Amino acid sequence: MPSPSSPSSLFSPYRLGELALPNRVVMAPMTRVRAAEGGLATPSMARYYAQRASAGLIVSEGVQPSLVGQSNPGTPGLHTPAQVASWRPVTEAVRANGGRIFAQLMHGGRVSHPDTTGFRPVGPSAVPAVGEVFTPNGPRPAPVPRALETAEVPEHAASYAEAASGAVAAGFDGVELHGANGYLISQFLSSNANLRSDRYGGSVAGRVRFAVEAAEATVDAVGAARTGIRLSPGSTTWGVADEDVPRLYGTLLAELARLDLAYVHLVATSEEEVLLGLRAAWPGTLIMNPVPPGGPKRTSRADADHWLGLGAELVSFGRAFIANPDLVERLRAALPLSPEDARDFYQGGDDGYLTYPAYGHRD
């Protein structure tokens, strides 16, 4: 296990694979639904990420690796040549501002709707997500997904690898597999979303298999140093449930450790004691997200210092980056943080997206 860092190390450099990070601050992935028709990245997205390039590492919003994997309308993809080309100005803008960026690859699985994709959603079993999903026609009850046949599962695992190849071609420094928050990888891990009796279900070894195969395929495609994964042990987002979190995620981390991934990105969706056990079980770089998504709290400097002291190498900040494009500088100088307006999160357009200025500047 890597030795714990001192709290003062938030602004010290860190070596992540072939990347030299200037600080330990990671911009967490956040859905902003600003993509153009066809899942294309836009000039506004290039400016948005470039504004936040002082982060040690940026992890992009969730990017669908296939059309059937799209969860929300207005999200970008990496499964067509046009989508790959549309991301190049984004990665170039980040790099021009001195930044580094990974693409988060997010297959929604059952968290989708035919109104969004034209397809019935797929999942490990024919069990719907809990709640309403976003569609072009407004919120709709989550539909019953089509359970994937055993022979189909590998192609969905491979979709992450194919999108990862596109991401590298588009100039991303690497990719993060979205294995958290109730989306497809999380659904396979879940004891109530995954009711399969084949090799991808049943036992803990069966339920972790899809995540491992997706990671293996991605490593084969772009290399271990370019591959990370995000996990939310114990999360109940979209109605998933994990039985015996320490055993499930301990087994998964042991399998992933064989692959020498760039990092594991944990969301604090379990008790600290459980998370510390997973820290001990993971021999590589750990990014810790101290505040689960959807709550009223933002990750603070105190949260970051706490987890650096407990052995995390990097700490991710989500909502704090929305209204504070210069978050690293504000944290370094103990400057006040601007509040974000939740009404701007998913409304589209540049207002509430590009209109938050750096400290001491007016838009």
Side-chain angles (χ1 to χ4, degrees):
M1 171 177 164
S3 59
S5 306
S6 65
S8 61
S9 67
L10 183 61
F11 307 108
S12 64
Y14 185 75
R15 190 80 187 180
L16 182 69
E18 299 177 359
L19 295 178
L21 311 188
N23 56 67
R24 310 296 183 98
V25 178
V26 175
M27 177 175 162
M30 291 176 286
T31 297
R32 302 305 306 274
V33 294
R34 259 73 174 190
E37 187 173 355
L40 303 181
T42 67
S44 291
M45 291 165 66
R47 185 178 170 197
Y48 170 77
Y49 285 113
Q51 286 176 340
R52 291 153 177 82
S54 59
L57 177 68
I58 293 171
V59 183
S60 80
E61 63 209 273
V63 182
Q64 55 261 15
S66 62
L67 182 55
V68 74
Q70 182 175 4
S71 180
N72 301 313
T75 55
L78 267 170
H79 55 89
T80 72
Q83 291 167 352
V84 171
S86 75
W87 278 108
R88 291 193 185 108
V90 178
T91 60
E92 290 168 359
V94 170
R95 193 159 289 111
N97 274 18
R100 297 136 299 276
I101 184 168
F102 271 39
Q104 190 191 65
L105 304 180
M106 173 182 152
H107 191 310
R110 68 180 187 172
V111 185
S112 184
H113 198 279
D115 288 359
T116 299
T117 66
F119 296 98
R120 183 180 176 186
V122 298
S125 300
V127 180
V130 174
E132 294 184 321
V133 296
F134 297 103
T135 81
N137 303 309
R140 294 286 187 272
V144 177
R146 180 178 65 81
L148 289 167
E149 299 290 338
T150 302
E152 292 180 284
V153 175
E155 69 188 60
H156 287 269
S159 72
Y160 293 93
E162 292 160 4
S165 295
V168 171
F172 283 98
D173 295 293
V175 297
E176 175 181 283
L177 308 187
H178 196 345
N181 302 347
Y183 297 107
L184 186 61
I185 291 174
S186 176
Q187 291 160 31
F188 270 93
L189 294 171
S190 170
S191 54
N192 69 348
N194 183 349
L195 306 181
R196 304 177 72 93
S197 58
D198 63 0
R199 63 194 301 267
Y200 292 100
S203 67
V204 165
R207 285 188 281 124
V208 305
R209 193 182 308 277
F210 180 78
V212 174
E213 289 188 358
E216 286 174 336
T218 304
V219 167
D220 286 346
V222 300
R226 294 180 183 268
T227 305
I229 190 169
R230 193 175 207 223
L231 303 170
S232 56
S235 172
T236 58
T237 305
W238 296 112
V240 296
D242 296 334
E243 290 180 359
D244 196 349
V245 169
R247 180 168 172 247
L248 175 67
Y249 283 88
T251 300
L252 175 58
L253 292 178
E255 289 291 314
L256 295 176
R258 296 186 296 101
L259 304 178
D260 196 26
L261 300 183
Y263 65 78
V264 164
H265 188 177
L266 283 186
V267 185
T269 42
S270 281
E271 298 82 2
E272 188 169 292
E273 180 181 1
V274 172
L275 297 171
L276 288 175
L278 299 179
R279 161 69 285 186
W282 174 246
T285 297
L286 177 70
I287 303 176
M288 193 67 213
N289 189 170
V291 177
K297 188 176 182 291
R298 299 187 297 189
T299 299
S300 68
R301 172 71 189 276
D303 295 323
D305 288 346
H306 176 69
W307 274 103
L308 289 171
L310 292 177
E313 283 73 38
L314 305 167
V315 177
S316 64
F317 294 73
R319 288 174 54 179
F321 261 113
I322 291 177
N324 301 278
D326 57 338
L327 179 64
V328 174
E329 290 72 23
R330 295 196 196 207
L331 292 171
R332 193 192 308 270
L335 297 171
L337 301 187
S338 299
E340 71 280 356
D341 188 338
R343 294 173 297 181
D344 297 333
F345 288 179
Y346 315 118
Q347 72 172 8
D350 289 346
D351 287 344
Y353 188 61
L354 301 180
T355 51
Y356 288 112
Y359 188 80
H361 293 76
R362 294 186 177 181
D363 186 48

